[in-house]
Amino acid sequence: MADNLFGQHISKQFDTELEDIRTRVLAMGGLVEQQVADAVSALVGGNRELAETVIERDHEVNALEVAIDEECTQVVARRQPAAGDLRLIMAVIKTITDLERIGDQAEKVARMGLHLAERERPKSQYIEIQHLGARVQQMLHHTLDAFARLDAEAAITVTSEDEKVDAEYDGVMRQMVTFMMEDPRLIKRSLDVMWSARALERIGDHSKNICEYVIYLVKGKDVRHISLEQMKKVARTES
Amino acid sequence: MADNLFGQHISKQFDTELEDIRTRVLAMGGLVEQQVADAVSALVGGNRELAETVIERDHEVNALEVAIDEECTQVVARRQPAAGDLRLIMAVIKTITDLERIGDQAEKVARMGLHLAERERPKSQYIEIQHLGARVQQMLHHTLDAFARLDAEAAITVTSEDEKVDAEYDGVMRQMVTFMMEDPRLIKRSLDVMWSARALERIGDHSKNICEYVIYLVKGKDVRHISLEQMKKVARTES
């Protein structure tokens, strides 16, 4: 599928530019993945220092978004790309917005980690956040894989992982409400856990958005706001 | 300022196309504004029917996003716009993503409205949500005004409104925590109010994003992730 999109331009320079954009998006993705992993591990381990590192590094994510955005606009202006190339650039512009917002959510988790490090630790050691975090990290990783390989089928499979993230999230929320009702002294701590779970759930949503851009990019069809069934139909059609 | 951006193309058809895109973004903005107003009023008034209308109409918002996105891509492919026109289209593509997400938040508030309509109503009649909602609606309205008039100065002023939204949001959150700690029977209701407040606060963030695109569009400078002071400096420079 990737062959339609790359490698057949008159200008070799243009190929290099597109490849460079893609590489930078993947680098941004790698950084964001690291931020999410570090944020979860800082919260779960009560590691204040690591939480602070995540918060500080968020500006690197932001800077990458601005730089890639600028590069995309310049390439459009200079190369006047058509069809597949333009789709690539449009998908990149949207993808980096979601990556930047995943970075924001990682920062939020890290901030909650700082709060929670101040409080007495529960017996569970925040195992529920560890589980949800692991699932979300996996989903994000698969998303970036699908983007790297421009694999629409994989993107659809990842999209369906979001339901599992949501189910796990709902479980955490119910558990926290129970804790709060049983012991009002746990209200503040439980709220911090809820906000962290919420941030992780949002990362699942952003990953799903990116998968939809990958499908759009490969298939040329906008699959936002349609059902998983309809999406599978699109992926099965030839692009 | 608008004169640099519009009205001087060789092709009259191109002017019409750009104007059409702008008009459709404003129509989408109007719909989203209505959704936010209805969602808040449904929650505050315990109006189940209105809440359901908001939830149903969300697909109209989504459909507008997809349609405008498609139109933008086609215009770029066909007209190969440069400089100001390209900036307009890039800003539109980003703006409609945020408008769509404001629509999602309005839907969330409406869903919380449905939950709360099932519960006993507090003496306050959700006055705190009414206040926060009014402030957020005002911010969104000013944002769309700044976009309509391509007014970077106005966009910066609106950006600073976000701090007031955040302060009001923090107040609601503190109040809800107090309620929950005083009377654990109020935990579930207070959580619903918290989620609604959170959704409204997010609308403020999305409005701020749109303001930043307006500044980028008019000034040609990316002002995301910089301080308000730096932003004012950018606005003072000639574009």
Side-chain angles (χ1 to χ4, degrees):
Chain A
M1 212 62 74
D3 301 321
N4 310 347
L5 293 163
F6 299 106
Q8 284 153 11
H9 300 110
I10 295 164
S11 155
K12 234 190 140 83
Q13 180 62 23
F14 185 18
D15 285 340
T16 315
E17 285 172 10
L18 286 181
E19 198 44 48
D20 182 53
I21 287 175
R22 226 162 62 102
T23 307
R24 290 180 83 178
V25 174
L26 290 172
M28 184 179 174
L31 173 58
V32 166
E33 255 192 292
Q34 191 59 51
Q35 288 283 88
V36 175
D38 287 349
V40 170
S41 134
L43 186 151
V44 170
N47 186 340
R48 223 168 299 203
E49 210 178 327
L50 187 57
E52 271 160 9
T53 310
V54 173
I55 294 165
E56 278 162 26
R57 291 194 81 184
D58 186 51
H59 77 94
E60 292 179 34
V61 178
N62 297 342
L64 274 171
E65 187 203 4
V66 172
I68 298 172
D69 227 352
E70 179 61 27
E71 199 176 345
C72 286
T73 309
Q74 281 179 7
V75 167
V76 172
R78 197 165 51 226
R79 302 291 177 181
Q80 307 177 333
D85 299 324
L86 185 57
R87 281 217 304 276
L88 171 70
I89 292 168
M90 293 298 181
V92 163
I93 288 173
K94 285 176 179 285
T95 296
I96 58 176
T97 307
D98 281 283
L99 284 177
E100 191 268 332
R101 287 174 193 175
I102 292 175
D104 287 346
Q105 301 300 330
E107 193 194 334
K108 268 182 212 166
V109 172
R111 286 192 190 281
M112 290 301 132
L114 284 183
H115 284 192
L116 290 171
E118 302 294 319
R119 300 184 194 281
E120 205 189 322
R121 295 182 65 75
K123 272 201 225 101
S124 75
Q125 300 293 334
Y126 304 114
I127 186 92
E128 62 287 324
I129 290 294
Q130 208 167 353
H131 281 165
L132 178 60
R135 205 177 267 292
V136 166
Q137 282 172 67
Q138 198 177 34
M139 185 174 172
L140 174 58
H141 188 77
H142 291 161
T143 298
L144 294 169
D145 262 5
F147 181 91
R149 293 183 282 113
L150 296 173
D151 185 338
E153 287 282 354
I156 288 170
T157 309
V158 184
T159 300
S160 62
E161 282 180 44
D162 195 39
E163 285 167 31
K164 287 179 207 157
V165 169
D166 288 350
E168 193 127 6
Y169 165 76
D170 288 340
V172 175
M173 296 317 247
R174 271 196 304 274
Q175 197 183 22
M176 291 303 127
V177 172
T178 309
F179 285 169
M180 289 197 278
M181 292 176 75
E182 278 170 9
D183 184 354
R185 284 169 304 173
L186 296 180
I187 286 179
K188 287 197 174 174
R189 187 173 78 193
S190 302
L191 281 172
D192 283 341
V193 174
M194 282 176 137
W195 294 127
S196 310
R198 176 66 158 205
L200 292 172
E201 185 264 343
R202 294 290 299 133
I203 293 176
D205 290 344
H206 287 296
S207 301
K208 192 178 163 190
N209 291 342
I210 295 175
C211 287
E212 289 171 358
Y213 308 143
V214 171
I215 301 169
Y216 161 75
L217 170 53
V218 178
K219 296 289 172 181
K221 285 204 185 72
D222 203 320
V223 295
R224 287 173 298 180
H225 318 302
I226 69 172
S227 72
L228 194 60
E229 272 317 301
Q230 290 170 298
M231 223 181 260
K232 282 181 184 157
K233 228 178 258 172
V234 169
R236 263 183 246 116
T237 60
E238 290 299 313
S239 65
Chain B
M1 212 61 75
D3 301 322
N4 310 347
L5 293 164
F6 299 107
Q8 283 153 14
H9 299 112
I10 295 165
S11 154
K12 235 193 140 86
Q13 179 62 23
F14 186 19
D15 286 341
T16 315
E17 284 171 11
L18 286 181
E19 198 44 48
D20 182 53
I21 287 175
R22 227 161 61 102
T23 308
R24 290 181 82 177
V25 174
L26 289 172
M28 184 179 174
L31 174 59
V32 166
E33 256 190 293
Q34 191 58 51
Q35 288 283 87
V36 176
D38 287 348
V40 170
S41 134
L43 186 150
V44 169
N47 185 339
R48 223 168 300 204
E49 210 178 328
L50 187 57
E52 271 159 9
T53 310
V54 172
I55 294 166
E56 278 161 26
R57 290 195 81 184
D58 186 51
H59 77 95
E60 291 179 35
V61 178
N62 297 344
L64 273 170
E65 187 203 5
V66 171
I68 298 172
D69 226 353
E70 179 62 27
E71 198 176 346
C72 285
T73 309
Q74 281 179 6
V75 168
V76 173
R78 196 167 50 227
R79 301 291 178 182
Q80 307 176 332
D85 300 324
L86 185 57
R87 281 216 304 275
L88 171 71
I89 292 169
M90 292 298 181
V92 163
I93 287 173
K94 284 174 182 285
T95 296
I96 56 175
T97 307
D98 281 284
L99 284 177
E100 190 269 332
R101 287 175 193 173
I102 293 175
D104 286 346
Q105 302 299 330
E107 193 196 332
K108 267 182 212 165
V109 173
R111 285 191 191 282
M112 290 300 132
L114 283 184
H115 284 191
L116 290 170
E118 303 293 319
R119 300 183 194 281
E120 205 188 323
R121 295 181 65 75
K123 270 201 228 99
S124 75
Q125 299 295 334
Y126 303 113
I127 186 92
E128 63 287 320
I129 290 294
Q130 208 167 353
H131 282 164
L132 178 60
R135 205 176 265 293
V136 166
Q137 283 172 67
Q138 196 177 37
M139 184 174 174
L140 175 57
H141 188 77
H142 292 161
T143 298
L144 294 169
D145 262 5
F147 181 91
R149 292 183 284 113
L150 295 174
D151 184 338
E153 287 282 354
I156 288 171
T157 310
V158 183
T159 299
S160 63
E161 283 180 42
D162 195 39
E163 284 167 31
K164 286 178 208 157
V165 169
D166 288 350
E168 193 127 5
Y169 165 76
D170 289 341
V172 176
M173 295 317 247
R174 271 195 303 275
Q175 198 184 21
M176 290 303 127
V177 172
T178 309
F179 285 170
M180 289 197 274
M181 292 176 73
E182 277 170 8
D183 183 354
R185 285 169 304 174
L186 296 181
I187 286 179
K188 288 197 174 174
R189 187 173 79 193
S190 302
L191 280 173
D192 284 340
V193 174
M194 281 177 139
W195 293 126
S196 310
R198 176 67 158 203
L200 292 171
E201 185 264 343
R202 293 291 298 135
I203 294 176
D205 289 344
H206 287 296
S207 301
K208 191 178 164 192
N209 291 342
I210 295 174
C211 287
E212 289 171 358
Y213 308 143
V214 171
I215 301 170
Y216 161 75
L217 171 53
V218 177
K219 295 290 174 179
K221 284 204 186 72
D222 202 320
V223 293
R224 287 171 298 180
H225 318 302
I226 70 173
S227 72
L228 193 61
E229 271 317 301
Q230 291 170 297
M231 223 182 262
K232 282 181 184 159
K233 228 178 259 173
V234 170
R236 263 183 248 117
T237 60
E238 289 300 314
S239 64

